Amino acid sequence: MMHDLIIISAGPGGIALAAEASASGRDPSQILILEKGPTHNSAIRQLYPERKLTTANYKGFAARCEGLLCVRDMTKPETLQFFDKIISDYRVNIEFNAEVYGMRGLEESRKEKIRKGK
C-alpha cells in the first residue's frame, strides 16, 4: 500500500508530525508511522523512572508552543496518556515492530519503505 506520508519513529516528534499533517487536511489513512519498538514512545517507557518529569524544554532551551501540540512538563504516565489521546484523536496510524533499513525513491514525491525480509 502506498502512503502520502511515511514517518519513521513513534516518539513525540513523529506523533506530533502525524497529528499536524492530519489537522492540516491530510487523510489520516494516508499517513503511516513506522516504529521499531512494540509501542509508541519506547524510550520514555524504558528509560524514564516513573516519577521523572518529561520536561518541555530541551537542554535548557525554553519550550515554545508553535503548533498543534503544546507540551508542558508532565510525569511519565501523564506524557504517555497525552500521546495516547493524540493518537486516538487524530487517528494516527502506527505500524509497530517495523524496523526501517533504508529508503529508495519511487518518484520525486514518494518514498518506499524497505524492511528486511519484505
Side-chain angles (χ1 to χ4, degrees):
M1 176 181 208
M2 296 296 298
H3 292 86
D4 290 339
L5 177 61
I6 296 176
I7 302 164
I8 299 171
S9 181
I15 294 168
L17 176 57
E20 292 279 356
S22 179
S24 72
R26 288 266 184 201
D27 178 355
S29 70
Q30 292 301 306
I31 302 167
L32 175 65
I33 298 178
L34 299 174
E35 170 55 42
K36 180 179 179 179
T39 187
H40 69 82
N41 287 298
S42 295
I44 291 172
R45 290 177 194 274
Q46 292 172 5
L47 303 175
Y48 281 48
E50 284 302 312
R51 295 185 185 200
K52 178 178 174 36
L53 282 181
T54 56
T55 55
N57 69 349
Y58 178 71
K59 295 186 178 182
F61 292 96
R64 296 186 321 231
C65 183
E66 295 183 359
L68 181 68
L69 308 183
C70 294
V71 178
R72 59 180 173 74
D73 292 354
M74 295 181 271
T75 65
K76 176 181 174 176
E78 289 171 334
T79 301
L80 297 174
Q81 288 172 350
F82 175 81
F83 284 104
D84 284 339
K85 182 170 177 15
I86 296 302
I87 290 166
S88 175
D89 290 353
Y90 291 93
R91 301 180 312 163
V92 175
N93 182 22
I94 305 172
E95 184 178 326
F96 296 105
N97 300 307
E99 189 164 356
V100 176
Y101 291 90
M103 304 284 278
R104 65 181 159 99
L106 293 177
E107 56 191 50
E108 281 189 31
S109 64
R110 294 185 182 256
K111 297 287 181 180
E112 178 184 16
K113 65 181 179 179
I114 302 169
R115 290 184 292 156
K116 189 173 186 177
K118 294 214 174 189

